[in-house]
Amino acid sequence: MEELTNWVLDLRGSGWSFAVVALVLLIGGVVTFLPSQSLVVALSALTAGDQGWTALINLFGLFAFCVVGMVLGDIGTYWLARGVGFGKWSWMNGRRLTAVRTRVGDQLKTRPKWVMVTVRLLPMGRIATVLAASDARMPMPRFLPLSVLASAVWVGYAVVIGAVFGSFSTDNPLLMMVLAVVTAIALGLLAQVVNGWLEKLTDRRKADVAS
């Protein structure tokens, strides 16, 4: 256990570890099953264990790397969908993902910022918003700022969760990492449940109005 702890601590403030997480976020634009959020939260918890300004500087560096990786991944997914019809492939048209894409597409014209940011915080939300933007033929000059905004909010959310736990106790870095990741997963599941309830409520209201 001591060797594992020392190995994990060596990752603290490491530029290559930031680059690896950024690469995972880039690839995660297409490979949706990668544990992107868990990696960001875990590394944030570990990085926050540094002292004073070192922790803040490293957390900002992690934030910057992750935002760049996520935005590049969004751009790649967007052009894959536009160029080779990636969004039409069978494994990109599951029931849940298709439902989210449809809802996002319906709202992109009226409140794009709100939709791109909030939906991304939900499971499968990132790929759904990017594919919906591609489906709507959203111009890249309009899509890119929305991607940067949504990515910054998503990464900031994950970094803050990790940093809170990591700064709470520097004596048990592995425990703090695990607690931070479990909390992030629990919050994501809770958000999904609440979102599902709100969608059902909205559908019922629309049905009542129509009748």
Side-chain angles (χ1 to χ4, degrees), residues 1 12 25 32 44-45 68 79 84 94 106-107 144-145 187 192:
M1 178 61 73
R12 180 181 294 172
L25 288 172
T32 57
S44 299
V68 170
W79 285 119
V84 300
D106 292 340
Q107 300 178 53
L144 184 57
L187 289 174
Q192 187 174 15

Side-chain angles (χ1 to χ4, degrees), residues 2 12 16 22 43 65 94 164:
E2 183 177 353
R12 180 181 294 172
W16 71 264
L43 192 53
F65 267 85
V164 168

